[in-house]
Amino acid sequence: MGMSSVTTESKNIYRVQGFTCAGCAAKFEKNVKELPGVEDAQVNFGASKLTVYGETSIDNLEKAGAFEGLKIYPEKQQRALEKEPFWKKKTTRTTAVSALFLLAGWLAGEYYGEGSSSSVLLYLVSICIGGYSLFRKGIRNLVRLDFDMSTLMTVAILGAAAIGEWGEGATVVFLFAISEALESYSMEKARQSIRSLMEIAPKEATIRRGDTDLQIPVGDIQIGDIMIVKPGQKIAMDGIVIGGKSTVNQAAITGESIPVKKELEDDVFAGTLNEEGLLEVKVTKRVEDTTISKIIHLVEEAQAEKAPSQAFVDRFAKYYTPAIMILALGIIVIPPLFLGGDWGEWVYRGLAVLVVGCPCALVISTPVSIVTAIGNAAKNGVLIKGGLHLEEAANLSIIAFDKTGTLTKGVPTVTDFVRIQGPEDKELLAIAAAIEKGSQHPLASAIVRKADQHVSDIANWKVDEFTSITGKGAKAVVNDQLYFIGSPRLFQELLPNGIDTGLNESIELLQLQGKTVMVLGTEKEVMALIAVADEIRTSSKEVIQKLRSLGITKTVMLTGDNRATGEAIGEQVDIHEVKAELLPEQKLQAIKELKTNGKVAMVGDGVNDAPALAVADLGIAMGGAGTDVALETADIALMGDDLSKLPFTISLSRKTLTIIKQNIAFALLIKLVALLLIVPGWLTLWIAIFADMGATLIVMLNGMRLLRVKR
């Protein structure tokens, strides 16, 4: 590959092909940081990505990764990773040839006698072919006093050859090569869940310009272009429907199994499948800003964020490998020098310690589980933004829910309009709608929709001096008269004598039915009551029950709505506790109080609940698809408006944490058992490497069980 200078921008991201282990990724990162012009560098092993801060060339980057034969190319380059069959890989072929010479050496030993020149020669060839790349790395590291897995194995194999254990040395080379291949294969398998996301969206789209339909690459599509999507085609870009009707399968983005109806003004997402009608879509985002692009980016970044268990393993491994080298040296030197032991026997035992001490299984135990779990979650429409949050979800004991848009559908409708005095019904409704057109509150949209059905001239109503009254309502001058609309609490404070008893009874009766009551009037009198109800999600009660069965000790609903409405909805969904009539800062305070009793998650829409989401131990946003705020502020985003993904997420996180603990415990236990075998002299080199390889394989297979966790 020729020289390809990086742009002058300070940050550049590349794809990396050829990583075989986490240790190699760390070494590559270190090498890149030492390159001239590079200020800093970060390698994401799980996503096979490199971020470089500074200026260098792709040739220099590939030289930094030459020890591993890494291939580098810019992230934005439209190029799929080369999928080389396992049996075609160079390492697979050399391992196979090494195995043939190992077998031939064993047969020669059986025929001509163990230690014969023919068997030694065949074993030597097996070692050289199978261990060539290992020795290159190991000897280089040994010279630098950089003790890693390659160093341990190189010293052990060369030591075995030095004391005449050629057969065992060749066996160690062969088994270590298999172990490395299995580790590489398992990480590639875990990454496939992310690769599949990358391949969801088409690379080209049909764009209508003038009277001509053009097939162009997605990178050339501009915001505002009109995209034509035929039935059976995948949608290539995020946009808004401006023509046609259809149903779209959004499973790739939201995890929903049922196709969603799309009509005029509806949003559509790149990577989703148009099933029935022809759609004309106005493109609203560039290819790098689409929802699927953001999901891929966030998931890959999540893989780079180390979970607490991973941080523990990294700290442990930092001291573990040098400790093994010191222990092996002690076993080799102390018994012969001070206890009269045989040098050959104790050198052999020391080499066995080096082999069994190889931390492959320990190092891979956490990453393979985290990558697999995050990928599985993404395929099911749950975006988990890091191993830290994945583990946090496993430890939850309290979950707080916003009401509107979370436990309810978030599309309220006017159920009752009660005129008290003043103008006629339609005029009062028009006044209310005229004020609420300036409000962003979900209840305001219900009144506007109601007025659109019954009043034809809302646009003619003159509105001045609109002011939102936080947590209580709004006021505005309509046709030269100042009106207020908001909660009964607003009018209780506003009116000289408060709301009279008879009217309060009417309000309470509506509230007991689970309805939110808004009052319309002036600073002197109440003119109308408007009752609005928000339909409860069909899954809400079932989700609360599932959470209880998972051991969540307390569920709480936090709402700005009145207590009677909150209690009515809380009773319907069977929630433990309802905290009503809360302002945004009071929701935040409620979360802080709940945190004194355990780990707390806040589930909200990611917009109005941003402060509470931020202060909770775990912020979970509903309906993250297309909502930038939800994707950016939450720790976990449920991409569809499907609350049933919450129990799945908690189950997956708990399973992940359990598997990580199992993997770490098993990896350490098998090392301990193998080391104890040294005392009676039962630990041979081939048993040591077989134990390490077996532990690595079991840890990887155990981690990949997370792919089987279903919703």
Side-chain angles (χ1 to χ4, degrees), residues 540-551:
S540 292
K541 185 172 182 178
E542 183 183 355
V543 166
I544 298 297
Q545 290 173 342
K546 283 184 178 178
L547 292 174
R548 286 184 176 180
S549 67
L550 287 170

Side-chain angles (χ1 to χ4, degrees), residues 65-84:
F67 69 94
E68 187 78 346
L70 302 178
K71 296 295 179 184
I72 318 291
Y73 62 91
E75 184 185 38
K76 291 185 178 179
Q77 185 174 319
Q78 291 291 324
R79 167 181 164 183
L81 287 174
E82 299 167 16
K83 294 181 180 178
E84 189 178 21

Side-chain angles (χ1 to χ4, degrees), residues 24-82:
C24 302
K27 183 168 297 182
F28 175 57
E29 179 179 282
K30 181 182 176 184
N31 291 349
V32 172
K33 287 179 179 179
E34 294 172 354
L35 291 174
V38 174
E39 298 170 18
D40 196 11
Q42 294 174 353
V43 168
N44 182 334
F45 175 58
S48 291
K49 286 174 68 174
L50 165 69
T51 302
V52 176
Y53 298 90
E55 297 183 29
T56 187
S57 69
I58 289 179
D59 269 3
N60 286 338
L61 293 175
E62 291 193 340
K63 286 176 184 175
F67 69 94
E68 187 78 346
L70 302 178
K71 296 295 179 184
I72 318 291
Y73 62 91
E75 184 185 38
K76 291 185 178 179
Q77 185 174 319
Q78 291 291 324
R79 167 181 164 183
L81 287 174
E82 299 167 16

Side-chain angles (χ1 to χ4, degrees), residues 208 230 593:
R208 180 166 292 166
K230 297 176 182 177
E593 291 172 5

Side-chain angles (χ1 to χ4, degrees), residues 358-406:
C358 185
C360 294
L362 185 63
V363 170
I364 200 69
S365 61
T366 302
V368 72
S369 303
I370 295 291
V371 171
T372 303
I374 289 176
N376 184 15
K379 288 174 70 176
N380 282 282
V382 179
L383 179 59
I384 302 174
K385 294 169 65 176
L388 171 65
H389 309 305
L390 182 66
E391 289 197 14
E392 199 74 75
N395 299 316
L396 294 175
S397 58
I398 302 169
I399 299 182
F401 297 87
D402 175 44
K403 177 178 75 70
T404 305
T406 303

Side-chain angles (χ1 to χ4, degrees), residues 511-640:
Q511 290 175 341
L512 288 171
Q513 298 169 24
K515 299 171 182 177
T516 299
V517 179
M518 288 184 287
V519 181
L520 173 67
T522 67
E523 55 193 342
K524 294 181 180 179
E525 59 187 357
V526 172
M527 293 180 169
L529 303 180
I530 306 171
V532 177
D534 186 1
E535 189 178 350
I536 294 172
R537 293 182 186 275
T538 53
S539 62
S540 292
K541 185 172 182 178
E542 183 183 355
V543 166
I544 298 297
Q545 290 173 342
K546 283 184 178 178
L547 292 174
R548 286 184 176 180
S549 67
L550 287 170
I552 298 299
T553 57
K554 191 174 187 179
T555 52
V556 184
M557 184 173 77
L558 306 179
T559 178
D561 218 333
N562 66 82
R563 176 156 299 280
T565 301
E567 294 284 0
I569 291 176
E571 188 175 341
Q572 290 179 59
V573 299
D574 198 23
I575 208 158
H576 284 110
E577 184 180 351
V578 175
K579 293 180 181 288
E581 300 177 6
L582 300 179
L583 298 174
E585 59 268 24
Q586 291 173 319
K587 281 189 179 183
L588 186 145
Q589 188 58 40
I591 293 293
K592 288 181 177 179
E593 291 172 5
L594 289 170
K595 286 175 69 174
T596 60
N597 298 315
K599 291 285 186 180
V600 179
M602 173 67 190
V603 187
D605 61 15
V607 183
N608 301 325
D609 304 304
L613 287 170
V615 79
D617 294 303
L618 192 69
I620 303 174
M622 282 282 292
T627 308
D628 291 344
V629 176
L631 291 177
E632 290 167 10
T633 61
D635 303 318
I636 295 176
L638 310 181
M639 299 306 292

